[in-house]
Amino acid sequence: MRFDLPMGSDPHSVRRRVEAMEHLLERSATIPGTNYRIGLDQIVGLVPVVGDLIAAAMGSYIVWEARNLGLPKWKLWQMMGRIGFDTAVGAVPFIGDAFDVIYRSNTKNLKTIKRHLDKHHPETRTIEQ
């Protein structure tokens, strides 16, 4: 994966940065012997409580970018709720680690941003592979 991320504040640049952050947090590595993808969120989440707080801070970057794009406040609250839920359950030893592998709050938040961009900035649309 290349990391030539644009630094602009235009919707296309923001979309690329948010997609890269979601990829890093949710799908950047493969579990050996399987085809299942995990990311930094699941790996850092193995450290009790502190790891989940770090993952929440990184996930909050996606919400911050969404705020800069002009998403409505109720969508921002929904996105923060997903991160809060992920952090709260993820902080529970053992159960939280399994939950982190299944529940992908950052992917859900990326989908919310993509729907907003596709509706309000259709020129940023990309063909999914």
Side-chain angles (χ1 to χ4, degrees), residues 43-116:
I43 295 168
V44 172
L46 293 173
V47 178
V49 183
V50 175
D52 293 301
L53 293 175
I54 291 169
M58 292 172 65
S60 295
Y61 170 76
I62 295 173
V63 179
W64 180 74
E65 288 282 17
R67 182 188 148 276
N68 291 342
L69 282 173
L71 266 76
K73 286 188 181 194
W74 69 271
K75 284 187 182 180
L76 297 175
W77 281 107
Q78 182 182 40
M79 292 170 73
M80 285 305 294
R82 288 180 189 133
I83 293 172
F85 180 66
D86 188 8
T87 303
V89 177
V92 177
F94 303 112
I95 295 170
D97 298 328
F99 178 77
D100 275 343
V101 172
I102 297 168
Y103 186 75
R104 297 176 182 253
S105 61
N106 298 304
T107 302
K108 293 174 188 290
N109 288 344
L110 175 63
K111 287 180 183 178
T112 299
I113 292 173
K114 282 183 173 182
R115 281 193 299 267
H116 174 80

Side-chain angles (χ1 to χ4, degrees), residues 27 114 126-129:
R27 304 177 285 121
K114 282 183 173 182
T126 57
I127 297 173
E128 301 291 327
Q129 297 182 12

